[in-house]
Amino acid sequence: MAQEKKTEAALLKEKLLVKKQSGIRKLNREEIEKADKFCKGYVEFLDSSKTEREAVTYTIKAAENAGFTEYDRTKSYKPGDRVYVNNRNKALMLCVIGKQGTKNGVKLGIAHIDSPRLDLKPNPLYESSDLALFKTHYYGGIKKYQWTAVPLALHGVVALKDGTVRDVYIGDDESDPCFVVTDLLPHLANEQMTQTMVKAFNGEHLNVLIGSRPFNEDEESESVKLNIMNILFEKYGITEADFISADLTMVPAAKARDVGFDRSMIGAYGHDDKVCAYPAVMAAIDVKDPEQTVISVLTDREEIGSDGNTGMKSSYLADFIADLAEADGVKLRHVMEKSTCLSADVNAAFDPTYASAYEANNACYINGGAVITKYTGSGGKYSTSDASAEFMAKVRRILDDADVLWQTGELGKVDGGGGGTIAKFIANLNADVVDLGVPVLSMHAPFEIVSKTDVYETYRALLEFYSINN
Ligand code: MN
Ligand code: MN
C-alpha cells in the first residue's frame, strides 16, 4: 500500500499551527444523536423557565428527583451528599460535597437565569381611548422594536399584604389570551422610518395592549380598565394596589422550536443564559464522587449588572462557601484562593449577515462547540477579569483530554460595543475564572438561536471540569 508522503511544510504545519476548526465535522453520528437527546431535556426546561423564579422552581424539582435535599447549616454532610440552597426563589445553588471537601478549593459553574424582558411598572394599568394597557419598564439590553407586534405572555407573582403570594402565568397555553405591544403601520410611519432606532422606539412606547371592552354600559369613565381589574380580581384575587408588590413581567409567548430543515438548532426566548444554566444543572446532577466540592449556581440580575441580593454581586455564594468551609475547619479565604470557576455564559456567534460586527479570526461559530471567552468588557478590556494564561492552559488541557469540542471567542470586533458576564465578580473573590458557554445568534432577541451540539458540548465541558481533580 502506498502511504501518502507528507511534505515538510505539511509536517511543520501540523506541529506548529492551530488546525482550522472543523467544528461539528469532528463529531460522529452517535455524539450528534446524544446532543439531540440532551436538548430534548433542555427544551423542556426552557419552556418551563421563562423567568428566574420559574427556573428555580423547575430545577428544585429536578434536583430533588436526583437526590438533592435543602441545605441545613446545622447538619453535617459527607462526601457525595447533594444539597441545594434556594435564595429567595430567584437564585439557586446545587452542591455536591467532594471527597476533599472545600480545603483544596471548590469547583464552580455559574450561569444566570434572568433574561431580557418587559417588566410591569409599579402602577402599570391605565386606560386610553377605550383601550386598557400596561406600562412597562424594560429589563436588560433589548432592541425595542423587536418587542412590538409579537405575542407576549404575563409571568410572575403578586404578593398580597397578608403574606400570600399569587402566581401569574397567562399567555403561553394556546387556549390562553396573549398580549401585545402595538406598532405603527408602515403607511403612516414616514416620520418614524426616518428616525434613528433609538428615537423611533423609546421605552415609553413599550405599552402592552391588554383589553378593549368596558365593564358595562354605565357612563363611568375608565370602565375598560375597571373590567380588566375585575377579571384580574376574579382570577387572582388582586386589586390595583397589589401591583405595587408584584414581580410581573411580559415575556414572548412562543415556545422553543427546532430551527432548520436539519433540525440542528433551537430557536427560543431566553437561551441567554438558560442554555448554560441547564448544562450546569445537569453536570451537578450527573457528576460522580467529585474530589473537590462542586457548586452549580443559577444566579439572577445578570442582565442588569448583577446588583441586588439575588445577583452575583451579593454575598450569597461566598456566604454558602463560608458555611461549607467552616464545617471543614478551613477559612473561606483559603478556599477561595484555590477555587476555580467556569462562568457559564453565552457569546455572540458569528453571523454572516452582519459579518462586519465581528472579527472572523476571534469570533465563535455555531456548531464550533463550547466557546471559551478569555475576557469580555469594552473600551480596551475595561471592566473584565481576563483569565490568566495559566488558568486558560488548565481549561484547555481538561477539555482536550476529554475530547470536548470547543473554540475561543471574543464578543465582536474591538470597539464594536461590548458586554460583560459574572466572571469578574468571581475573580474579585480571588478565584480563577473564565467564561465558557454556548454561541448564540440573535442574542437578546425574543427568539434566539443556538446549536444543539454546542449545548451538549457545554454540558460535557462542565461535567469534565467538575469530575477532574484540580
Ligand atoms: Mn448572559
Ligand atoms: Mn445577556
Side-chain angles (χ1 to χ4, degrees):
M1 292 277 265
Q3 182 121 30
E4 205 183 314
K5 219 176 160 214
K6 283 185 179 162
T7 64
E8 197 183 342
L11 287 168
L12 204 57
K13 230 174 160 179
E14 211 166 85
K15 185 176 164 194
L16 297 181
L17 300 188
V18 172
K19 245 186 248 143
K20 195 100 185 101
Q21 286 281 1
S22 56
I24 195 170
R25 286 177 192 87
K26 281 187 189 160
L27 302 177
N28 60 36
R29 182 176 295 272
E30 196 187 327
E31 284 171 301
I32 292 173
E33 271 168 18
K34 274 190 200 159
D36 289 350
K37 198 172 158 217
F38 182 80
C39 283
K40 290 209 165 89
Y42 170 49
V43 163
E44 213 183 291
F45 168 77
L46 196 53
D47 283 339
S48 313
S49 306
K50 287 190 180 175
T51 66
E52 58 276 5
R53 286 176 186 272
E54 291 162 7
V56 166
T57 305
Y58 186 94
T59 306
I60 287 177
K61 239 180 249 161
E64 283 179 343
N65 287 338
F68 284 75
T69 57
E70 186 152 24
Y71 176 68
D72 176 349
R73 71 172 70 85
T74 65
K75 275 191 188 157
S76 63
Y77 293 96
K78 57 182 191 313
D81 281 347
R82 307 164 142 223
V83 293
Y84 68 83
V85 179
N86 173 358
N87 179 3
R88 298 173 171 83
N89 301 319
K90 295 172 74 178
L92 185 71
M93 295 180 280
L94 301 184
C95 171
V96 182
I97 308 291
K99 290 183 209 154
Q100 302 169 14
T102 56
K103 68 176 192 289
N104 290 317
V106 295
K107 293 277 184 83
L108 299 165
I110 308 180
H112 65 93
I113 46 176
D114 60 321
S115 300
R117 64 200 186 209
L118 306 180
D119 283 348
L120 298 201
K121 290 191 183 188
N123 286 312
L125 180 59
Y126 72 106
E127 176 176 333
S128 183
S129 313
D130 289 337
L131 297 175
L133 299 115
F134 275 149
K135 291 299 294 181
T136 66
H137 197 138
Y138 67 99
Y139 174 100
I142 60 167
K143 289 165 99 176
K144 299 181 187 83
Y145 73 88
Q146 293 179 335
W147 293 74
T148 67
V150 292
L152 299 172
L154 182 64
H155 289 209
V157 296
V158 183
L160 305 182
K161 280 202 285 188
D162 69 3
T164 57
V165 177
R166 300 270 150 79
D167 284 310
V168 176
Y169 182 89
I170 180 164
D172 275 274
D173 291 332
E174 266 166 40
S175 58
D176 283 350
C178 65
F179 315 97
V180 69
V181 175
T182 56
D183 194 4
L184 194 57
L185 62 166
H187 316 62
L188 300 181
N190 284 357
E191 195 187 324
Q192 185 194 46
M193 305 264 253
T194 55
Q195 283 174 330
T196 58
M197 220 188 274
V198 175
K199 282 213 170 117
F201 301 90
N202 72 53
E204 296 296 349
H205 285 154
L206 297 174
N207 305 318
V208 185
L209 183 62
I210 55 165
S212 67
R213 278 189 193 161
F215 178 69
N216 60 19
E217 57 276 30
D218 287 358
E219 281 301 308
E220 277 294 322
S221 67
E222 295 200 308
S223 62
V224 180
K225 171 178 167 176
L226 178 66
N227 192 34
I228 295 295
M229 211 55 247
N230 191 42
I231 293 167
L232 290 173
F233 181 74
E234 279 174 3
K235 197 168 163 69
Y236 301 109
I238 60 172
T239 66
E240 190 179 11
D242 296 322
F243 282 123
I244 293 163
S245 49
D247 289 338
L248 288 171
T249 188
M250 286 285 174
V251 293
K255 287 204 157 84
R257 304 276 302 270
D258 280 352
V259 170
F261 288 114
D262 55 8
R263 296 180 174 265
S264 58
M265 297 165 282
I266 305 166
Y269 163 70
H271 280 313
D272 178 9
D273 185 33
K274 265 80 96 181
V275 75
C276 300
Y278 184 72
V281 168
M282 293 314 292
I285 286 177
D286 292 343
V287 67
K288 295 272 175 305
D289 306 319
E291 285 291 329
Q292 289 159 287
T293 291
V294 159
I295 307 172
S296 280
V297 183
L298 307 188
T299 195
D300 181 28
R301 319 304 286 170
E302 193 278 339
E303 293 296 357
I304 54 166
S306 295
D307 288 298
N309 51 19
T310 52
M312 220 61 263
K313 280 189 196 164
S314 150
S315 63
Y316 76 91
L317 170 62
D319 290 347
F320 174 52
I321 300 173
D323 283 342
L324 297 175
E326 217 169 276
D328 290 343
V330 284
K331 292 200 163 65
L332 173 67
R333 62 177 189 272
H334 300 148
V335 174
M336 289 319 298
E337 68 189 13
K338 290 185 198 132
S339 291
T340 50
C341 174
L342 293 181
S343 160
D345 208 342
V346 299
N347 197 336
F350 185 84
D351 186 338
T353 304
Y354 299 99
S356 66
Y358 301 82
E359 190 267 287
N361 285 337
N362 286 283
C364 62
Y365 294 82
I366 286 285
N367 282 335
V371 51
I372 299 178
T373 308
K374 189 172 183 290
Y375 52 84
T376 56
S378 61
K381 291 196 177 183
Y382 202 85
S383 208
T384 181
S385 48
D386 203 346
S388 71
E390 292 85 346
F391 188 57
M392 288 293 285
K394 185 186 271 188
V395 174
R396 270 176 71 194
R397 191 191 66 232
I398 293 172
L399 301 187
D400 281 344
D401 286 354
D403 269 327
V404 172
L405 183 64
W406 64 276
Q407 57 187 327
T408 60
E410 246 194 302
L411 184 61
K413 66 179 179 188
V414 176
D415 291 341
T421 65
I422 58 91
K424 61 183 174 183
F425 308 120
I426 303 306
N428 292 348
L429 294 173
N430 195 22
D432 274 304
V433 56
V434 70
D435 284 301
L436 179 144
V438 177
V440 177
L441 286 170
S442 300
M443 195 197 293
H444 283 206
F447 194 71
E448 305 175 308
I449 314 293
V450 298
S451 134
K452 290 180 181 177
T453 53
D454 294 341
V455 181
Y456 185 60
E457 294 301 315
T458 296
Y459 157 75
R460 291 190 58 222
L462 281 157
L463 182 59
E464 198 56 33
F465 172 69
Y466 286 168
S467 304
I468 223 113
N469 186 13
N470 253 319

